[in-house]
Amino acid sequence: MSVQMRKFLAAVLLIFIVFGWVVTIFGAGPIPTLKEKIKLGLDIEGGVYVVMEAKTDLTGDKLKKLMEQTQAVIEQRVNQMGLSEPIVTIEGEKRIRIELPGAQDSDEAIKTIGKTAQLQFMLADGTVALDGSMVKDAGITSDTQNGGYAISLKFNSAGTAAFAKATEKALSGTVTPKIDGVLPNAIAITLDNQIISAPSVKDKISNGEAIITSGTGGFSQDEATNLSALIRGGSLPVALEEVNTSTRTATIGYNAFEMSVIAGIIAVALIIIIMLAFYGIMGVAANIALLLYIILVLWTMVLLGSVLTLPGIGGIILSIGMAVDANVIIFTRIREEIEHGKSLRVSVHSGFKRALNTIIDSHVTTIIASLVLYQLGTGPVKGFALTLMLGIIASLVTATVVTQLFLDIFCESKHFSALKYYGMNEDNTPKFKLKRKFSFIKHRKIFYIISIVIIISGLAVGGIRGYNYGIDFTGGTMMQFDMGKQVELSKVDDTLNAVGIKASELVYAGKNNTEIIIRTMDSLDNEARNQVIAEFNKDFGITEKNVLSVEQFGPSVGKDLRMNALKSVLISCIGMLIYIILRFELKFGIAAVAGVLHDVLIVISLYGIFHVTINNPFIAGILTVLGYSINDTIVIFDRIRENLGIMKKNKLEELLDVSINETLVRSIMTSSTVLVVMIPLFVLTSNTIREFMLPLFIGVVVGTMSSIFMCSPIYYDLCQLSGGTKYKGIKSKKAN
């Protein structure tokens, strides 16, 4: 490609980036801003989600068909609630997740959806006359006699005959009432054995159509809409049990969103400064690529219809830190080429070429972990995995295409072709380079002992004292109330005891401690939560409107989370092992997976020692640690593989030490940038994102250390045991 063509493409790209950021922030004519276009998750926008589990023993195709029927019925109901884009999805084999953006009342939502939702029409004596499957349609109409609204019903042929027979019997005077509050001439409409309406029959109805009125004043529009939706939904084909509920007000979610955006801006600014400070003109190219990278990720989410959650924001910002890694690998290679005496132009081209395989290998292994996380994760974890995956793919494109385009232009420029702009002295030596060479293989047994001590101590402490599992692992409930003022925790505890609830944790939250967070190890269903709210109303004047957020997890959810966590780790390791074997050799694969398992055990051990809460975000954190750790290890292994083909006269232990030292600055630099990105997230954002960041924070440090101090020594010992590597000409001797 000619110089002029490259300059033209660079100019077009810069215009596109500027235009993209203007549109993203301010919009442009008919094009809305990103804020208006992107879908926000319930944890930001506010709303309710409920996960319900089918109580059935069916399996295979019969279960699949049953769940699809159930999904269709629930979709029919929630679509009548007037909410923005409700979502009903099958989760796993037996669960239905219902997401209701904008809804604030979980009690009303669950009632409308229907807990077990068996719709029946009964005579006053309890005789079932017909069921919901016989209802053809239900809607609202004006109540011309009483004012307000009424419900119109239409039945299918079977329902028409059954309803005609029922109305005739209700008018006959032979029905003895056995249902409290239901008149002899009434027909009770029940949902899950709860009466939702009991209209009196005035005439025999044989035409398959009926009108339900409420008497004086008629129904309000909301009452008529909800009742008609429940009737129109019909009977669910299976009983459902509430196993997970979450309610969040828009205020809490949006405040957390704003703080996350601020943290993201700070993180990006820090990355830009760091890249300029350490890499000069190469940092300028990387920062241009970074600005494009952010636009690509965000607008790709819009085009895919993806939902942006708080953990998803964490995934984007974390992937920004990891995206720096590709540029750091490239820049390290370019400096090495310059140091070998090559011209700047040749160094840029050969540096990119030599870095490409390393970048692809390191990113693919991270994508494997992200894919597993997306497939086995639920809710916010999926959002985290999706944004992380999009970020990794975007970083591959921007680093290998955009950064290279601008570096090609810079190195051919009269103004920016001096070596000082590339962090090099005029004698082709780097301005910053670790002068000391470390002997890692020689001291490997010390590293082994330190890791074994930490792992055994952590697992022993966690096993004896017990790990601090969150309610999403054990089952339980979290409720957050806005009390309006600071109240004594002892009084709150007394209120809970009055309804037979023992709090496992009571803490203040919000400004001036005006909010209370209650955690119980009991999984409180909708009815139990309503009892708590009623008691709070009596003692503190608190209503449903003062409930800021609710999280409820049934015991079966926690069991599935633990199993999914185990499966995620195993599947990720198998996938990575296969890829590394194909790209390298078996011993490299075993050493890499051993390092990954080491990192997982270290993180779990530290959580056991310091009694940190293990919950759903912890799984996402662990899997991201897997991806990051393997990313760092692959970079070192790639250098070892390269040196195995070059340094044939060296001893294996010498070669490994040289390879680790050659990539040491890159490992430190990449880890530092990722940690720098995490700090604003950890300090400024909500607990939700902090729960994701903590295992990542620990994991980045542990992963970096293991790739340097553990994986290469393990590879060395494997070579010792098997008599060498598949690469010929490498001498090996037992290290001290």
Side-chain angles (χ1 to χ4, degrees):
M1 186 185 299
S2 67
V3 176
Q4 294 301 320
M5 178 60 72
R6 282 198 293 267
K7 288 182 177 180
F8 173 75
L9 289 177
V12 171
L13 199 56
L14 286 173
I15 293 171
F16 176 80
I17 292 171
V18 172
F19 177 74
W21 275 102
V22 170
V23 171
T24 298
I25 299 172
F26 304 107
I31 305 176
T33 65
L34 178 74
K35 183 179 177 181
E36 296 171 326
K37 194 70 177 173
I38 198 164
K39 296 179 182 178
L40 300 178
L42 297 184
D43 53 355
I44 298 174
E45 187 178 11
V48 174
Y49 83 71
V50 182
V51 178
M52 292 187 165
E53 188 171 75
K55 311 310 292 181
T56 176
D57 295 326
L58 294 178
T59 58
D61 290 339
K62 290 183 179 179
L63 176 60
K64 182 180 178 182
K65 183 177 180 181
L66 178 72
M67 297 307 295
E68 289 173 349
Q69 291 173 344
T70 305
Q71 180 187 19
V73 172
I74 293 178
E75 280 179 340
Q76 188 176 17
R77 288 185 179 158
V78 299
N79 285 336
Q80 307 301 320
M81 295 176 67
L83 300 172
S84 174
E85 298 185 2
I87 300 171
V88 181
T89 56
I90 298 173
E91 188 173 275
E93 293 185 342
K94 292 186 177 182
R95 290 181 182 154
I96 298 281
R97 175 184 288 265
I98 306 104
E99 299 185 17
L100 306 173
Q104 297 298 323
D105 190 338
S106 61
D107 177 40
E108 188 65 31
I110 291 171
K111 286 180 179 177
T112 303
I113 295 166
K115 191 173 182 181
T116 56
Q118 300 293 331
L119 185 71
Q120 295 176 321
F121 291 69
M122 295 182 178
L123 294 170
D125 60 4
T127 303
V128 177
L130 62 157
D131 59 42
S133 64
M134 300 176 180
V135 178
K136 186 177 181 180
D137 194 14
I140 63 172
T141 185
S142 298
D143 188 342
T144 56
Q145 294 182 350
N146 304 301
Y149 294 87
I151 292 92
S152 61
L153 299 179
K154 291 183 179 180
F155 301 97
N156 60 21
S157 57
T160 298
F163 196 67
K165 185 177 179 181
T167 53
E168 183 178 17
K169 187 169 184 179
L171 291 169
S172 67
T174 60
V175 178
T176 304
K178 294 182 180 179
I179 304 175
D180 291 341
V182 178
L183 299 175
N185 66 332
I187 293 180
I189 306 173
T190 65
L191 187 66
D192 189 24
N193 296 320
Q194 299 295 317
I195 298 174
I196 59 174
S197 182
S200 297
V201 178
K202 297 179 180 178
D203 299 294
K204 178 182 177 181
I205 300 174
S206 56
N207 64 351
E209 297 183 2
I211 299 292
I212 301 175
T213 62
S214 69
T216 305
F219 290 107
S220 68
Q221 186 173 7
D222 286 343
E223 289 172 338
T225 299
N226 289 337
L227 181 56
S228 63
L230 291 173
I231 297 172
R232 183 169 53 254
S235 294
L236 289 172
V238 65
L240 297 175
E241 179 183 13
E242 174 195 356
V243 294
N244 186 196
T245 304
S246 177
T247 305
R248 182 180 291 268
T249 63
T251 302
I252 282 187
Y254 200 76
N255 288 342
F257 173 65
E258 288 184 325
M259 295 307 296
S260 300
V261 171
I262 292 171
I265 293 171
I266 294 173
V268 171
L270 289 172
I271 290 292
I272 289 173
I273 293 170
I274 290 171
M275 296 304 290
L276 289 174
F278 281 87
Y279 295 103
I281 197 67
M282 292 191 292
V284 173
N287 289 334
I288 293 171
L290 178 62
L291 293 174
L292 176 62
Y293 161 88
I294 296 171
I295 294 174
L296 289 177
V297 172
L298 294 176
W299 283 99
T300 299
M301 291 186 66
V302 171
L303 292 175
L304 293 176
S306 304
V307 177
L308 182 63
T309 62
L310 291 177
I313 295 172
I316 291 173
I317 299 174
L318 177 64
S319 65
I320 289 172
M322 296 181 71
V324 173
D325 182 46
N327 286 296
V328 171
I329 293 171
I330 293 167
F331 299 161
T332 301
R333 286 293 194 177
I334 291 173
R335 285 180 173 177
E336 288 176 358
E337 296 296 297
I338 295 173
E339 195 173 2
H340 291 156
K342 296 180 181 178
S343 68
L344 179 60
R345 183 176 179 181
V346 172
S347 296
V348 169
H349 285 280
S350 59
F352 268 95
K353 185 177 180 180
R354 292 181 66 195
L356 187 59
N357 283 340
T358 305
I359 293 171
I360 292 173
D361 286 336
S362 61
H363 281 59
V364 167
T365 49
T366 309
I367 288 174
I368 290 172
S370 300
L371 284 170
V372 174
L373 185 59
Y374 184 80
Q375 289 298 320
L376 297 180
T378 59
V381 176
K382 274 187 180 290
F384 178 82
L386 177 62
T387 52
L388 185 61
M389 197 163 21
L390 289 175
I392 293 168
I393 295 171
S395 73
L396 274 171
V397 174
T398 54
T400 56
V401 177
V402 180
T403 302
Q404 184 173 13
L405 174 64
F406 282 94
L407 278 186
D408 283 343
I409 294 172
F410 291 151
C411 73
E412 294 172 353
S413 166
K414 293 181 180 179
H415 300 290
F416 300 111
S417 58
L419 293 182
K420 65 180 180 179
Y421 293 118
Y422 298 83
M424 303 294 289
N425 298 313
E426 291 304 320
D427 61 353
N428 287 16
T429 59
K431 291 182 178 180
F432 175 76
K433 186 176 183 179
L434 292 177
K435 295 181 179 180
R436 182 179 176 184
K437 300 300 179 183
F438 299 95
S439 300
F440 296 99
I441 304 302
K442 179 180 179 180
H443 302 292
R444 69 192 186 283
K445 292 179 181 178
I446 297 175
F447 309 144
Y448 293 163
I449 291 171
I450 293 172
S451 292
I452 290 171
V453 168
I454 294 174
I455 291 171
I456 292 176
S457 300
L459 296 179
V461 171
I464 295 171
R465 180 177 58 183
Y467 282 97
N468 182 14
Y469 292 110
I471 60 174
D472 40 0
F473 265 69
T474 62
T477 307
M478 184 282 293
M479 300 182 73
Q480 184 172 352
F481 291 89
D482 181 1
M483 308 299 289
K485 61 181 180 180
Q486 183 172 341
V487 299
E488 294 181 18
L489 294 179
S490 59
K491 292 183 178 179
V492 175
D493 198 33
D494 291 340
T495 300
L496 293 172
N497 289 332
V499 290
I501 293 173
K502 181 176 177 57
S504 60
E505 184 180 29
L506 274 176
V507 294
Y508 287 117
K511 292 183 179 179
N512 302 318
N513 293 333
T514 58
E515 298 172 8
I516 295 288
I517 296 177
I518 303 165
R519 288 186 174 88
T520 75
M521 300 306 291
D522 296 322
S523 178
L524 306 179
D525 61 15
N526 193 48
E527 184 178 348
R529 294 196 302 271
N530 286 337
Q531 289 179 355
V532 173
I533 295 170
E535 197 69 20
F536 266 63
N537 178 259
K538 185 176 72 174
D539 293 348
F540 306 109
I542 297 303
T543 67
E544 179 76 32
K545 294 181 180 179
N546 299 100
V547 180
L548 299 178
S549 62
V550 172
E551 294 281 349
Q552 177 268 334
F553 295 88
S556 62
V557 175
K559 181 181 178 182
D560 288 349
L561 282 175
R562 290 192 293 272
M563 288 302 300
N564 282 344
L566 181 60
K567 286 194 292 186
S568 298
V569 172
L570 292 177
I571 294 172
S572 296
C573 287
I574 292 170
M576 292 173 185
L577 179 61
I578 293 171
Y579 182 81
I580 295 170
I581 291 173
L582 293 175
R583 291 288 293 154
F584 294 82
E585 65 168 318
L586 178 61
K587 285 187 281 293
F588 275 121
I590 294 173
V593 171
V596 163
L597 295 176
H598 161 272
D599 296 343
V600 172
L601 290 174
I602 288 287
V603 174
I604 292 174
S605 298
L606 292 176
Y607 267 59
I609 292 171
F610 296 104
H611 210 53
V612 182
T613 304
I614 296 176
N615 48 21
N616 198 9
F618 172 81
I619 300 173
I622 283 290
L623 279 210
T624 308
V625 167
L626 295 186
Y628 181 84
S629 174
I630 203 75
N631 179 299
D632 203 33
T633 301
I634 289 297
V635 172
I636 297 175
F637 280 2
D638 189 81
R639 183 60 65 98
I640 293 172
R641 179 179 59 180
E642 181 180 322
N643 287 337
L644 284 169
I646 299 172
M647 302 169 60
K648 294 183 180 293
K649 294 183 179 180
N650 292 74
K651 303 290 191 295
L652 181 59
E653 55 271 24
E654 295 170 356
L655 183 148
L656 294 178
D657 281 336
V658 168
S659 301
I660 299 171
N661 278 284
E662 284 179 344
T663 56
L664 192 57
V665 172
R666 171 261 158 203
S667 295
I668 295 172
M669 186 66 191
T670 300
S671 301
S672 299
T673 53
V674 174
L675 292 174
V676 163
V677 167
M678 289 184 187
I679 290 171
L681 280 173
F682 198 82
V683 173
L684 296 177
T685 55
S686 64
N687 287 333
T688 303
I689 295 185
R690 286 196 194 102
E691 289 175 344
F692 276 89
M693 290 297 109
L694 183 59
L696 296 179
F697 201 94
I698 298 171
V700 166
V701 176
V702 173
T704 303
M705 301 296 286
S706 72
S707 63
I708 296 171
F709 297 106
M710 296 295 295
C711 295
S712 297
I714 290 172
Y715 173 73
Y716 174 81
D717 283 328
L718 290 172
C719 289
Q720 291 291 94
L721 292 172
S722 62
T725 76
K726 76 173 186 178
Y727 301 93
K728 305 299 182 184
I730 304 300
K731 299 177 182 179
S732 181
K733 70 176 183 179
K734 187 175 178 65
N736 296 326

